[in-house]
Amino acid sequence: MIPAAFEYHRPTDLAAALATLGEFGDEARVVAGGHSLIPMMKLRMAEIGHVVDLQDIADLKGIRIDGTAVWIGAMTTQHELIGHQGLAAAAPILRETALQIADPQVRYVGTIGGNVANGDPGNDMPALMQCLDATFTLAGPNGSREVAARDFYEGAYVTLREDDEILTGIRFEATGGGQAYEKQKRKIGDYATAAAAAILKKDGTSCSAASIAMTNLSDMPVWSKAAGDALVGTACAAADIDAAVAAALGDISPNADNRGPVEFKRHVAGIIIRRAIEQAWARA
Amino acid sequence: MNELAPISREQRVENLKGLGCSRKRVEDVRFTQGRGNYVDDLKLPGMLYGDFVRSPYAHARVKSVDKSAALAVPGVVAVLTAEDLAPLNLHWMPTLAGDKQMVLADGKVLFQGQEVAFVVANDRYVAADAAELVVIDYEELPVVVDPFKALEPGAPVLREDLDGQTTGAHGDRRHHNHIFLWEAGDKAATDEVISSAEVVAEEMVYYHRTHPCPLETCGCVASMDAVNGKLTVHGTFQAPHVVRTVASLLSGIEEHKIRVVSPDIGGGFGNKVGVYPGYVCAIVASIVTGKPVKWIEDRMENLTATAFARDYWMKGRIAATKDGRITALSCHVTADHGAFDACADPTKFPAGFFSIMTGSYDIPVAHVGVDGVYTNKAPGGVAYRCSFRVTEAAYFIERMIEVLAIELGMDAAELRRINFIRKEQFPYQSALGWEYDSGDYHTAWDKALTAIDYQGLRREQADRVEAFRRGETRKLLGIGLTHFTEIVGAGPVKNCDILGMGMFDSCEIRIHPTGSAVARLGTISQGQGHATTFAQILASEIGLPADSITVEEGDTDTAPYGLGTYGSRSTPVAGAATAMAGRKIRAKAQMIAAYLLEVHDGDLEWDVDRFVVKGAPERFKTMKDIAYASYNQAIPGVEPGLEAVSYYDPPNMTYPFGAYICVMEVDVDTGVCDVRQFYALDDCGTRINPMVIEGQVHGGLTEALAIAMGQEIAYDEIGNVKTATLMDFFLPTAWETPHYTTDFTETPSPHHPIGAKGVGESPNVGGVPAFSNAVHDAFRAFGLRQSHMPHDHWRVWKIAHDLGLHG
Ligand SMILES: Cc1cc2nc3c(=O)[nH]c(=O)nc-3n(C[C@H](O)[C@H](O)[C@H](O)COP(=O)(O)OP(=O)(O)OC[C@H]3O[C@@H](n4cnc5c(N)ncnc54)[C@H](O)[C@@H]3O)c2cc1C
């Protein structure tokens, strides 16, 4: 469990970090909390000549809430997300999700930026970002651009981020609603067998808006428009939820792994999606 | 207060912190402050580092090894292969089970992760980088991971070195992948009873392959002093003296020129009993380079290459009368030993003490046959926190009892009760040849059932089943029962040895002039707390406070010869030696006291911490007074000093037992199982330190939880290990660990000097069937008989699915 040799860079501002990425091209990689990247390096599955550590770049840190507008710096740790009162009020699902990621030690250093940029289908934050309809800000040699979380992922470890771009922050509108993140895993520190995020808004007795997204049930996060559509305008009765679950299951294609075969995962996915919807509706 | 007021007798007893005291563990001060001293903490001047190049294939011919690129890396000192070890005759080594094992791949590899080359460099990182550069040309061969397929006529030949050998260390080999057939009991009589029995239950019970997971992996630092010719090996050894003897036999270095030291060990659980290629390579590398060489395996190496545990396919038949009296038990085991038979068992017991499989029950006739088989998996077969194959045996009988209860339509608690060996039957001769020393199973069982309100739980369970059928709940309730009996404390020298070394153990005590003492033992703690509990045994024997007694283990230059710590043998054997050595001290102390008090020694009696003149309580000498006198008085006929040594050959094993009950909530839709309640009653005989016992039980139950509910070493069909990291290999955290309620009865061992039986392994032995039975029991109402561990989410889900519970 010893990585190959690498050069370590520790820039103090974004421009310097981008310059280093530009200089070394695809030999360079940024490291945030290192809790996805370093294990890969130790397994020698990722050989990286130049590691660019982002932790001294103050601009990448912090949580700002302005009315319903929420901005989270890429280098904000999961631990900081959990501890932030304003965030818990604006979007309680963030804390609920972050608490289901790994264990306290990992959360002290693992960042939200690393979690969403990594592109691992097992990461929990990407589906949540899709559920919240968040937008990612990417800084590159030619300035910044914004990409919707729902467009960002293309496959396992493949995203729209270019090698020379750095994710600087995440923003989304906190529009309330009943929120729930349900996750089945084998143990603390495991990725999801199946997980689902649901945000439902209630108008009187009927559902006025619904957003459903899922983790580790395809080779990228899945936001199921059809599942949400199945609920909007209904009273989220059993048959409506059945329809939403069926729609969500139509959008996933889980892989067999040590957690179990596809048949099992699809079944559990149905249960977990249902629980997320029921929980969110109960909280709406 | 008058400071000189004599303290009460109770106070004197309390001051000793002897038997029965929940004395705090003296080890924990350094462990909790990060001041432990583990092998990897050792840094010697000029030390080099070794790293292995391992096979990615489970079965392949090694056509060539090119070390040139690795040797060219600055800092690399040597790259060893089998060719380099062959002239020393160290490319193979004997195993503890009478087989031999490759140290480095000799022409072929037989399991994924097998050691092929050993890179030695002046820096750990350089060694790892250079290991990547060793180029090996493999030719893949067909792989066998299934022990049943391994015995088919056309199966690939795994061990070409055994070509034509039709007998092995344990008798005939009937196939090229067959290792031995070991049998006990009366086959003909057993078959006869079964064939005419009123009721017979038959089942295949699989205890899957898993692996101990000590926090510290295996490793060593070998250091050959070229000037005085002395080899020192610091390592994670559960049996340092045996390692010394083996090292001497293998290397030809005289035994007094070898020093083996086990420093603090971060858990062993059987993983650190065997001798591994890393030790041999580090020793050879140190001899060749003249420098100390360190080898420490990483977690993946530990899980894939050092000794595994279990992997027993147990085909059972149990016969009974219609009203539930068991009349016979038979078992045939197909035992997957992997590529080499490197089981760590006493020499004459290739299947360990599996023949304890009649468990807690009075079964008149029984038979067991165990076929050992080679496959393309890692070697091993260690006793993972159990005495040799005792966990397999306990799991087997406790599953068979449940299956029989189903067959009979009987309550499983009642079935156990009517078949228990009765109190008055002890010492009890089992059908498979053991003499159970003592027990009182009915008392323990009734106490356990009452404590958890067994009848109430059964009513709740029945209600739950009804509610489930009405569609009101998706959760079932399982009640997992276990009454286990272990056989530990190996063992009598007349039938127990390791490589010819009798399995006695030892203790040597020196009392210092001012009344403190040092005791050295042949065992080695890996977390059991020997420094705490052995001092307590001694405190009660010799009347010096446990706090004034240092216990030392693990250094073969200072400790008396012993066979080490595993199989719950430390307290039954070394603990007995400690008491016996203490009694020798006391005998001499009595003579000294008699001289000092000017009475006949027969006129004295022992009282807690002193000898008192009978009938004159004001005339006494404390052990502290006597210790001083032994160093400064010329006593006629008595040598100066106060020392004793005892080598203890136990007359029998000890038979701890217990009653465990697990209450489990099972989610039929997701397969998630939650332990709602766990009650563990242990009877380990005399209880030395209740707090340490409780800690051992908590730890062992958590390992049992892991094993039953998810922990495994799984292979795909081409021999790739699928569970090589802690992501997939289940090691519970505090989060997954349920609350445990502990309880006890106390039935002292009649043959042990203080009546102690050993407890460290009981919770693993009894815990696994308790958790597993709970899962099975939840589905009993729906027709489940048997389903293999580990009961991870998907396998539990599959039970429900196959029973049609998903609609
Ligand atoms: C035992 C364990 C259990 C875990 N369990 C879970 C879990 O249950 N759920 C879960 O979601 N995660 C889990 N993780 C992963 C953990 O949350 C990681 O911390 C997270 O995935 C990555 O964040 P990081 O800050 O550590 O990123 P790093 O490991 O530093 O980086 C990950 C990747 O993202 C890239 N990257 C990081 N930051 C940026 C940026 N600002 N711009 C561009 N690229 C960037 C890196 O180059 C790298 O490729 C677990 C990790 C461990 C070790």
Side-chain angles (χ1 to χ4, degrees):
Chain A
M1 299 298 254
I2 287 179
F6 57 85
E7 286 295 323
Y8 179 74
H9 304 265
R10 192 160 173 155
T12 52
D13 61 49
L14 189 60
L18 288 169
T20 310
L21 286 186
E23 186 183 348
F24 297 105
D26 60 8
E27 273 189 44
R29 193 89 80 86
V30 299
V31 66
H35 270 49
S36 286
L37 185 61
I38 293 173
M40 299 294 269
M41 291 170 68
K42 286 186 163 187
L43 289 166
R44 299 199 174 212
M45 288 162 91
E47 286 219 14
I48 291 156
H50 295 268
V51 169
V52 183
D53 191 334
L54 301 181
Q55 67 178 305
D56 279 351
I57 305 177
D59 289 350
L60 298 180
K61 275 196 160 279
I63 297 169
R64 290 199 292 270
I65 301 174
D66 183 4
T68 57
V70 177
W71 179 87
I72 303 172
M75 288 299 288
T76 307
T77 64
Q78 311 286 358
H79 176 72
E80 288 160 348
L81 292 180
I82 291 166
H84 196 278
Q85 293 310 323
L87 200 56
I93 195 170
L94 257 169
R95 175 185 279 181
E96 187 172 22
T97 306
L99 276 170
Q100 296 182 67
I101 292 177
D103 51 48
Q105 284 101 321
V106 173
R107 299 197 293 257
Y108 285 134
V109 279
T111 66
I112 187 166
N115 200 296
V116 302
N118 195 27
D120 184 330
N123 281 131
D124 290 287
M125 284 296 170
L128 177 58
M129 292 303 132
Q130 294 192 338
C131 186
L132 287 164
D133 197 13
T135 302
F136 300 154
T137 306
L138 302 169
N142 308 316
S144 277
R145 63 179 178 126
E146 302 218 305
V147 180
R150 290 177 188 172
D151 299 330
F152 186 70
Y153 298 95
E154 300 196 298
Y157 301 102
V158 187
T159 67
L160 286 183
R161 186 182 65 82
E162 300 292 337
D163 282 347
D164 57 1
E165 287 181 310
I166 292 174
L167 173 78
T168 55
I170 295 166
R171 63 177 181 78
F172 62 89
E173 287 296 313
T175 53
Q179 313 185 343
Y181 192 75
E182 285 284 326
K183 177 178 179 182
Q184 178 163 336
K185 55 187 171 186
R186 295 171 296 180
K187 57 174 179 180
I188 289 294
D190 190 21
Y191 294 94
T193 302
I199 300 181
L200 305 184
K201 282 194 198 154
K202 202 176 195 172
D203 189 1
T205 56
S206 88
C207 175
S208 58
S211 178
I212 313 288
M214 292 158 282
T215 297
N216 222 12
L217 290 167
S218 285
D219 61 1
M220 57 180 144
V222 176
W223 176 69
S224 175
K225 182 173 184 312
D229 288 349
L231 294 172
V232 175
T234 75
C236 288
D240 307 319
I241 297 178
D242 284 348
V245 169
L249 291 178
D251 286 339
I252 60 170
S253 56
N255 294 316
D257 58 21
N258 282 342
R259 294 176 189 86
V262 172
E263 189 194 15
F264 163 70
K265 288 198 171 178
R266 292 193 72 87
H267 187 113
V268 170
I271 304 290
I272 295 298
I273 296 162
R274 178 182 306 277
R275 287 181 186 170
I277 293 171
E278 286 172 353
Q279 182 72 271
W281 184 243
R283 290 170 177 171
Chain B
M1 257 192 59
N2 181 356
E3 286 183 12
L4 294 175
I7 58 172
S8 69
R9 190 169 188 280
E10 290 87 74
Q11 191 62 51
R12 286 192 282 127
V13 171
E14 206 168 295
N15 287 349
L16 293 182
K17 298 191 186 168
L19 291 184
C21 168
S22 281
R23 178 185 188 219
K24 284 198 177 148
R25 292 181 13 129
V26 295
E27 297 89 343
D28 291 347
V29 178
R30 67 178 188 280
F31 291 156
T32 53
Q33 296 186 13
R35 298 292 180 86
N37 178 32
Y38 298 92
V39 174
D40 206 14
D41 293 325
L42 187 69
K43 290 186 180 66
L44 298 179
M47 190 168 76
L48 305 175
Y49 299 81
D51 195 5
F52 278 113
V53 181
R54 294 177 180 276
S55 170
Y57 299 109
H59 196 194
R61 215 164 285 295
V62 178
K63 300 181 72 178
S64 65
V65 180
D66 180 355
K67 1 174 166 170
S68 53
L71 282 169
V73 175
V76 171
V77 178
V79 178
L80 301 178
T81 61
E83 252 173 55
D84 303 304
L85 299 183
L88 305 167
N89 203 23
L90 285 175
H91 53 322
W92 287 75
M93 62 178 181
T95 70
L96 297 181
D99 194 4
K100 56 181 180 155
Q101 172 179 359
M102 290 181 209
V103 173
L104 290 171
D106 183 20
K108 72 189 285 197
V109 287
L110 287 158
F111 64 95
Q112 187 181 57
Q114 187 177 333
E115 300 80 359
V116 181
F118 190 66
V119 177
V120 185
N122 59 14
D123 179 287
R124 179 69 187 87
Y125 284 66
V126 170
D129 287 345
E132 291 265 291
L133 300 176
V134 176
V135 182
I136 299 161
D137 187 12
Y138 294 99
E139 177 192 316
E140 287 183 68
L141 295 169
V143 172
V144 199
V145 291
D146 176 335
F148 297 98
K149 291 197 178 136
L151 288 181
E152 284 172 4
V157 178
L158 304 190
R159 293 288 299 276
E160 287 161 4
D161 59 296
L162 299 179
D163 188 28
Q165 289 188 26
T166 51
T167 46
H170 308 288
D172 290 346
R173 300 175 62 225
R174 62 169 190 272
H175 179 278
H176 51 262
N177 294 328
H178 184 243
I179 312 172
F180 60 81
L181 168 63
W182 180 83
E183 289 180 281
D186 186 335
K187 186 167 185 341
T190 306
D191 286 345
E192 198 185 309
V193 174
I194 291 174
S195 66
S196 59
E198 290 175 4
V199 181
V200 179
E202 200 169 327
E203 202 54 73
M204 174 66 94
V205 178
Y206 179 45
Y207 198 142
H208 60 289
R209 178 176 281 234
T210 183
H211 199 284
C213 195
L215 289 183
E216 178 202 33
T217 58
C218 300
C220 72
V221 178
S223 175
M224 183 72 195
D225 185 328
V227 176
N228 65 16
K230 185 156 183 173
L231 172 69
T232 302
V233 188
H234 286 80
T236 51
F237 308 128
Q238 287 181 235
H241 284 96
V242 179
V243 170
R244 185 184 72 190
T245 302
V246 172
S248 173
L249 292 172
L250 287 182
S251 66
I253 301 171
E254 276 193 283
E255 209 165 343
H256 73 291
K257 291 277 193 188
I258 301 177
R259 176 181 173 213
V260 174
V261 184
S262 295
D264 284 333
I265 298 185
F269 313 113
N271 186 223
K272 294 169 179 169
V273 172
V275 174
Y276 296 123
Y279 307 154
V280 178
C281 289
I283 291 171
V284 171
S286 179
I287 293 172
V288 171
T289 62
K291 302 241 172 82
V293 176
K294 179 185 277 188
W295 167 72
I296 307 280
E297 57 176 8
D298 67 29
R299 180 65 57 194
M300 291 179 74
E301 293 180 296
N302 178 261
L303 289 174
T304 53
T306 46
F308 76 93
R310 327 293 194 229
D311 216 346
Y312 258 34
W313 290 91
M314 303 173 285
K315 177 95 188 162
R317 286 178 301 153
I318 188 164
T321 60
K322 270 191 285 228
D323 54 4
R325 288 254 12 144
I326 300 171
T327 52
L329 177 68
S330 128
C331 183
H332 177 266
V333 183
T334 301
D336 186 339
H337 285 237
F340 308 99
D341 187 9
C343 263
D345 291 314
T347 308
K348 297 183 192 75
F349 296 90
F353 303 152
F354 185 77
S355 52
I356 194 72
M357 68 166 201
T358 52
S360 310
Y361 311 101
D362 183 12
I363 302 179
V365 60
H367 176 259
V368 55
V370 180
D371 274 311
V373 182
Y374 291 124
T375 59
N376 289 120
K377 299 184 192 168
V382 292
Y384 175 3
R385 203 180 187 139
C386 68
S387 189
F388 316 98
R389 301 291 186 185
V390 170
T391 310
E392 289 91 328
Y395 185 64
F396 170 72
I397 182 64
E398 290 303 301
R399 281 302 310 143
M400 289 309 291
I401 291 281
E402 294 283 316
V403 171
L404 179 62
I406 292 169
E407 194 75 39
L408 290 162
M410 242 179 111
D411 177 79
E414 186 55 22
L415 178 61
R416 284 179 173 83
R417 187 201 313 274
I418 62 177
N419 285 288
F420 282 144
I421 300 162
R422 293 184 315 280
K423 191 179 172 184
E424 62 276 13
Q425 286 177 283
F426 292 96
Y428 171 82
Q429 301 293 330
S430 83
L432 294 176
W434 299 112
E435 182 181 304
Y436 290 34
D437 64 347
S438 58
D440 182 355
Y441 302 161
H442 286 97
T443 300
W445 195 236
D446 290 342
K447 188 172 183 184
L449 296 182
T450 308
I452 58 141
D453 181 20
Y454 181 66
Q455 294 308 334
L457 279 173
R458 284 290 178 209
R459 280 193 297 276
E460 183 187 347
Q461 183 184 43
D463 291 347
R464 185 74 71 85
V465 168
E466 288 314 309
F468 182 87
R469 291 201 161 116
R470 289 194 301 269
E472 291 164 16
T473 178
R474 298 295 293 164
K475 282 193 176 175
L476 297 172
L477 190 69
I479 305 167
L481 304 174
T482 288
H483 190 289
F484 64 93
T485 296
E486 292 181 273
I487 172 170
V488 308
V493 172
K494 65 176 186 291
N495 59 356
C496 291
D497 71 274
I498 298 238
L499 293 178
M501 241 49 66
M503 294 180 76
F504 59 85
D505 227 288
S506 58
C507 176
E508 181 193 284
I509 303 167
R510 292 184 190 175
I511 312 289
H512 305 316
T514 51
S516 64
V518 59
R520 299 193 172 94
L521 290 90
T523 42
I524 173 73
S525 178
Q526 309 122 40
Q528 292 89 343
H530 292 175
T532 306
T533 51
F534 287 147
Q536 291 182 251
I537 296 178
L538 208 48
S540 288
E541 291 292 341
I542 64 174
L544 293 176
D547 289 344
S548 301
I549 302 168
T550 296
V551 173
E552 281 184 8
E553 300 174 306
D555 184 339
T556 59
D557 266 9
T558 56
Y561 205 102
L563 270 277
T565 294
Y566 41 87
S568 278
R569 63 184 304 281
S570 300
T571 296
V573 192
T578 304
M580 298 310 271
R583 287 172 195 183
K584 290 185 188 176
I585 297 272
R586 217 161 81 184
K588 182 170 176 184
Q590 186 164 1
M591 299 207 289
I592 298 170
Y595 172 80
L596 297 173
L597 291 163
E598 298 177 345
V599 295
H600 190 269
D601 31 331
D603 295 333
L604 293 174
E605 61 188 1
W606 176 250
D607 181 40
V608 184
D609 56 355
R610 60 193 59 184
F611 279 104
V612 180
V613 178
K614 285 180 190 160
E618 70 292 350
R619 297 193 61 210
F620 62 84
K621 288 288 170 192
T622 65
M623 189 53 108
K624 211 173 150 134
D625 302 333
I626 296 166
Y628 199 65
S630 75
Y631 285 89
N632 73 357
Q633 300 262 340
I635 305 173
V638 179
E639 283 181 8
L642 197 49
E643 300 191 5
V645 55
S646 169
Y647 282 77
Y648 188 80
D649 176 9
N652 190 4
M653 315 277 188
T654 61
Y655 297 77
F657 63 93
Y660 290 179
I661 300 173
C662 171
V663 183
M664 180 124 52
E665 296 274 354
V666 178
D667 183 328
V668 168
D669 291 322
T670 59
V672 174
C673 298
D674 286 315
V675 176
R676 184 173 94 182
Q677 192 181 355
F678 198 103
Y679 170 89
L681 178 151
D682 275 284
D683 193 320
C684 57
T686 301
R687 289 157 54 85
I688 299 165
N689 181 323
M691 187 194 67
V692 168
I693 292 173
E694 194 178 18
Q696 291 289 314
V697 172
H698 284 195
L701 286 176
T702 305
E703 275 176 335
L705 171 86
I707 295 167
M709 305 310 290
Q711 189 178 86
E712 65 175 323
I713 297 293
Y715 289 83
D716 68 11
E717 54 301 336
I718 55 165
N720 294 308
V721 183
K722 298 199 294 178
T723 51
T725 76
L726 298 185
M727 178 62 74
D728 289 308
F729 181 89
F730 179 34
L731 189 67
T733 66
W735 187 267
E736 288 82 21
T737 305
H739 179 78
Y740 303 120
T741 306
T742 55
D743 203 347
F744 67 97
T745 55
E746 196 160 352
T747 313
S749 167
H751 62 78
H752 186 277
I754 63 162
K757 296 182 177 176
V759 75
E761 302 174 334
S762 306
N764 195 321
V765 172
V768 173
F771 289 111
S772 178
N773 283 347
V775 174
H776 283 92
D777 184 66
F779 293 102
R780 179 173 169 176
F782 301 91
L784 178 68
R785 260 173 79 110
Q786 175 62 19
S787 182
H788 299 318
M789 292 191 292
H791 306 298
D792 59 2
H793 297 168
W794 103 259
R795 287 181 177 95
V796 174
W797 175 87
K798 189 164 186 312
I799 295 172
H801 202 69
D802 293 347
L803 292 173
L805 302 184
H806 293 145

